[in-house]
Amino acid sequence: MLDDDLDDIHPLFAGAPSTTEFKKLRKRIVRQTREAIEQYCMIERGSRWLVCLSGGKDSYTLLAILHELKWRGLLPVELLACNLDQGQPGFPSTVLPKFLEDMGVPHRIEYQDTYSVVKDKVPAGRTYCALCSRLRRGNLYRIAREEGCSAVVLGHHRDDILETFFMNLFHGGRLATMPPKLVNEEGDLFVYRPLAHVAEVDCEKFANAMQYPIIPCDLCGSQDGLQRQQVKQILDQWEKNSPGRRQVMFRALTNVRPSHMLDPKLFDFAGLLRGETKADQIDGDIPTLR
């Protein structure tokens, strides 16, 4: 339980608004983050997490909420904040180091000029996100290993997960999204997304209310026609027409019925017997393919 009357607070929450609205927002984000951490079994007691900080609203929210949980004794892991300065022209390189030092947050700042690589390798008119993300992720894995971390922790929220699902649906021809927990290809690191249940609008409200020094991504933010932007616009319109639609769709991702899909690798349609009940087909274990 959170006690808002305690003077004993982490510096990341210093100056937090005392309004009832903000207290409810903060408690909701903390609760949803804790639920995701527990539901997807992210905690290895005594482990060390590399918490990735881009300077955007989502990563600031992630950093603050994880430190809130640790401060309250609910997250028994060591947290190391990390910012990867990718060499973008005009990037305010002093903002995050000063913020982290002022907040007393253990951190590592790493400079790698992936910006020049992306600009050189990506043809004119193509989007930068895929290569930029791949280069960034590779560097973060390396840093995690160097720092003795068992997990790389990212600030993707509920809406990122929904958008990725529809990106795969519309453009990839598959049902897939970003899971809250996975193991990297090398098999030596976890990747966690503790904000998986948190709405983007709540991250924005939280970071703005705390007046964290937001740093925009200028590498791809000016590119028009990004597929993810198109998907976001579709979801925004659905939400406008039917408030709460995003949460219903997100809940569907946690409530999959393999027997009511079309993938024979997930359900043994050939092995179905006429004597089976509907409950056997839906709720039983997935049959092994013969």
Side-chain angles (χ1 to χ4, degrees):
M1 298 294 292
L2 298 177
D3 187 346
D4 292 298
D5 295 327
L6 287 175
D7 293 328
D8 185 24
I9 63 172
H10 193 278
L12 280 166
F13 284 90
S18 58
T19 64
T20 300
E21 181 182 5
F22 179 79
K23 289 179 180 179
K24 288 181 177 178
L25 171 68
R26 171 187 163 201
K27 287 183 179 181
R28 180 167 65 249
I29 298 176
V30 169
R31 185 189 73 250
Q32 291 171 338
T33 302
R34 187 181 180 189
E35 286 174 353
I37 289 173
E38 293 178 352
Q39 181 177 357
Y40 297 103
C41 304
M42 297 181 187
I43 295 178
E44 291 180 293
R45 188 174 295 273
S47 60
R48 195 179 201 205
W49 289 6
L50 188 76
V51 183
C52 301
L53 186 66
S54 66
K57 64 183 186 307
D58 310 327
S59 63
Y60 276 119
T61 301
L62 173 70
L63 182 73
I65 299 303
L66 291 182
H67 276 275
E68 169 84 354
L69 289 171
K70 181 175 175 61
W71 191 257
R72 303 300 178 193
L74 301 173
L75 186 63
V77 302
E78 184 180 350
L79 302 174
L80 177 67
C82 177
N83 171 250
L84 179 63
D85 182 342
Q86 297 179 262
Q88 296 180 29
F91 182 81
S93 59
T94 61
V95 170
L96 284 174
K98 183 179 187 306
F99 172 81
L100 294 167
E101 289 167 7
D102 291 345
M103 296 297 107
V105 174
H107 62 277
R108 172 171 169 174
I109 306 296
E110 177 84 5
Y111 178 82
Q112 291 290 331
D113 186 9
T114 64
Y115 174 85
S116 297
V117 176
V118 171
K119 294 287 286 186
D120 179 63
K121 298 295 184 182
V122 177
R126 300 291 297 274
T127 57
Y128 303 135
C129 295
L131 179 58
C132 179
S133 176
R134 190 159 60 249
L135 293 173
R136 181 172 63 249
R137 191 69 58 87
N139 278 290
L140 292 174
Y141 288 166
R142 172 184 56 79
I143 295 168
R145 295 181 185 108
E146 292 174 357
E147 295 290 345
C149 296
S150 62
V152 172
V153 186
L154 306 175
H156 295 128
H157 45 64
R158 181 200 68 181
D159 297 75
D160 288 324
I161 291 172
L162 271 177
E163 290 164 17
T164 301
F165 171 79
F166 282 102
M167 288 278 289
N168 281 311
L169 177 67
F170 294 154
H171 304 288
R174 59 183 177 271
L175 296 182
T177 188
M178 298 184 296
K181 176 182 180 180
L182 60 83
V183 176
N184 66 336
E185 292 182 359
E186 293 79 7
D188 64 333
L189 294 169
F190 283 115
V191 177
Y192 294 150
R193 297 181 173 95
L195 299 184
H197 294 172
V198 179
E200 179 178 17
V201 65
D202 281 352
C203 291
E204 185 171 10
K205 289 178 181 177
F206 179 84
N208 288 341
M210 290 304 305
Q211 298 183 339
Y212 292 140
I214 305 298
I215 302 174
C217 176
D218 295 325
L219 177 60
C220 59
S222 62
Q223 290 184 286
D224 296 325
L226 292 177
Q227 293 173 345
R228 186 171 291 274
Q229 291 177 353
Q230 295 171 4
V231 168
K232 181 182 284 289
Q233 291 170 2
I234 292 172
L235 295 177
D236 285 344
Q237 189 61 48
W238 284 348
E239 185 71 20
K240 180 180 179 181
N241 294 339
S242 302
R245 178 65 60 83
R246 269 191 170 95
Q247 186 57 31
V248 172
M249 291 188 291
F250 181 79
R251 190 163 66 246
L253 295 180
T254 69
N255 187 26
V256 178
R257 295 185 174 184
S259 65
H260 283 47
M261 302 299 286
L262 282 74
D263 191 343
K265 295 187 296 296
L266 294 181
F267 189 83
D268 184 12
F269 295 98
L272 279 178
L273 302 175
R274 281 191 295 272
E276 290 183 338
T277 66
K278 185 176 181 180
D280 291 332
Q281 298 173 21
I282 295 175
D283 300 324
D285 293 334
I286 298 174
T288 303
L289 287 174
R290 296 169 184 169

